[in-house]
């Protein structure tokens, strides 16, 4: 893993936020216990068994860069991770990607059962919005964040991207790069952009700053997915924490399949440069955002 762009202080801040979001998520689950024990256990399995926490870290990084208190960022950071967790639970189902391994652990439908996994995903989605509704900020900011998360998670965002992905599975030969980029801008990029936007909303960042943050987030979302595609080709299941080689086995359209590994790496480098250019006017206060962009490109899992 590369050194944090801002050095030891930046690395320490990111690690402190990782610990913080784990505590916030633990509290959210404890404060909203499931009516049935097995469902609650499945929800905890989906949320608390690790993960990169990229999306909540982006909320903290974007918000604090523009002066928001961490306490005002806890709810949106937790909400977006709960949405992400629900999406993974449903993505792993037999009707979707049919995967047995996630974060080095059995997926929820394997560890419990398929019906419980569906209910756990549904409950995590509801919990996300309940958590965000209690955000420690003004009413207008709270409503704006709720709108942002709902849009990013819905039919014009993550769910729409997943539908496009399912429709394209088994038909990689008929796919093109423009369609693939649109798919991932929805399936992966929409939630990443929402994370950055919610941090900016909580901090009341200016319109000009938000335009630059959007450009950064769009590049990051695509870079994150290209790196995922490369890892599926080059990685091992033990390192990835999920099943390697699934994309080729399911004949999915991926960047390496469409443009090759070398061109995919070159595209990653170009997206890294685009992120740097978007953040350059912010200087040192964007160190955490820059580091998260670098980690997305260079990560091994």
């Amino acid at each position: 893993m590369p050194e944090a762009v801002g050095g030891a202080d930046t690395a320490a801040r990111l690690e402190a936020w990782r610990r913080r979001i784990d505590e916030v998520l633990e509290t959210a689950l404890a404060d909203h216990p499931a009516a049935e024990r097995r469902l609650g256990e499945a929800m905890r399995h989906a949320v608390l068994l690790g993960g990169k926490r990229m999306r909540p870290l982006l909320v903290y990084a974007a918000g604090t860069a523009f002066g928001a208190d961490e306490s005002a960022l806890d709810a949106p950071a937790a909400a977006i991770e709960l949405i992400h967790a629900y999406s993974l639970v449903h993505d792993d189902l037999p009707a979707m990607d049919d995967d047995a391994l996630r974060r080095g652990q059995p997926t929820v439908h394997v560890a419990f059962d398929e019906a419980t996994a569906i209910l756990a995903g549904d409950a995590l989605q509801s919990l996300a919005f309940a958590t965000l509704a209690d955000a420690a900020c003004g009413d207008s900011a709270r409503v704006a964040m709720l709108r942002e998360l709902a849009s990013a998670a819905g039919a014009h965002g993550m769910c729409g991207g997943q539908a496009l992905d399912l429709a394209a599975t088994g038909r990689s030969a008929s796919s093109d790069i423009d369609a693939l980029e649109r798919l991932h801008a929805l399936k992966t990029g929409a939630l990443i952009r929402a994370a950055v936007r919610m941090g900016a909303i909580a901090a009341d960042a200016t319109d000009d700053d938000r335009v630059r943050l959007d450009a950064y987030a769009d590049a990051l979302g695509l870079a994150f997915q290209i790196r995922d595609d490369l890892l599926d080709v080059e990685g091992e299941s033990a390192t990835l924490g999920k099943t390697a080689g699934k994309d080729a086995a399911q004949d999915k359209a991926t960047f390496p399949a469409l443009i090759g590994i070398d061109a995919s790496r070159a595209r990653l480098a170009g997206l890294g440069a685009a992120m740097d250019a978007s953040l350059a006017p912010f200087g040192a206060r964007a160190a955490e955002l820059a580091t998260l962009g670098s980690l997305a490109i260079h990560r091994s899992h």
Side-chain angles (χ1 to χ4, degrees):
M1 184 175 290
E3 183 180 355
V5 173
D9 288 346
T10 296
R13 195 170 296 116
L14 290 172
E15 183 55 35
W17 288 337
R18 285 189 184 94
R19 294 193 299 269
R20 184 182 182 100
I21 191 56
D22 284 346
E23 293 173 2
V24 173
L25 290 166
E26 177 82 49
T27 299
L29 288 163
D31 287 350
H32 299 82
E36 194 272 335
R37 177 188 57 80
R38 187 173 173 83
L39 174 60
E41 290 175 352
M43 293 168 68
R44 293 177 65 83
H45 183 93
V47 175
L48 299 178
L49 293 183
K52 291 176 282 296
R53 307 301 194 209
M54 170 67 76
R55 292 153 191 82
L57 290 177
L58 285 168
V59 175
Y60 286 120
T64 58
F66 294 92
D69 290 337
E70 291 177 352
S71 60
L73 300 168
D74 287 337
I80 204 154
E81 185 66 8
L82 290 167
I83 290 289
H84 178 56
Y86 121 71
S87 76
L88 297 182
V89 173
H90 283 189
D91 193 46
D92 291 333
L93 287 167
M96 299 278 193
D97 279 359
D98 192 14
D99 217 327
L101 192 66
R102 174 70 67 178
R103 295 171 173 170
Q105 301 289 333
T107 50
V108 175
H109 72 274
V110 171
F112 295 86
D113 56 68
E114 190 172 344
T116 300
I118 293 170
L119 290 173
D122 291 344
L124 290 171
Q125 180 180 193
S126 296
L127 179 57
F129 288 101
T131 300
L132 188 53
D134 293 330
C137 60
D139 290 346
S140 61
R142 189 181 302 111
V143 169
M145 288 191 287
L146 285 164
R147 184 182 296 112
E148 189 64 49
L149 186 59
S151 177
H156 293 288
M158 182 181 67
C159 286
Q162 176 71 352
L164 289 171
D165 193 18
L166 290 171
T169 298
R171 302 192 306 173
S172 64
S174 63
S175 298
D176 61 61
I177 197 66
D178 290 339
L180 184 60
E181 290 196 7
R182 177 172 179 263
L183 185 164
H184 290 308
L186 299 177
K187 181 177 179 179
T188 302
L191 214 57
I192 285 176
R193 181 159 66 173
V196 175
R197 282 184 171 181
M198 288 198 295
I201 290 168
D204 196 23
T206 69
D207 289 344
D208 286 345
D209 288 339
R210 294 188 197 194
V211 169
R212 289 190 173 277
L213 288 172
D214 272 356
Y216 159 81
D218 288 345
L220 173 58
L222 187 55
F224 194 93
Q225 186 58 52
I226 294 175
R227 185 61 182 153
D228 247 15
D229 288 354
L230 286 168
L231 287 172
D232 190 75
V233 174
E234 301 172 334
E236 298 180 357
S237 297
T239 302
L240 297 176
K242 58 184 179 180
T243 307
K246 288 277 292 185
D247 291 340
Q250 295 179 338
D251 190 27
K252 285 199 170 190
T254 66
F255 286 89
L258 292 186
I259 64 175
I261 289 177
D262 289 343
S264 296
R265 289 175 178 159
R267 187 84 168 93
L268 263 185
L271 290 165
M275 283 188 275
D276 290 343
S278 298
L279 297 178
F282 303 141
R285 62 177 166 158
E288 288 76 30
L289 289 170
T291 294
L292 290 170
S294 178
L295 294 177
I297 288 175
H298 298 289
R299 63 196 168 93
S300 60
H301 64 281

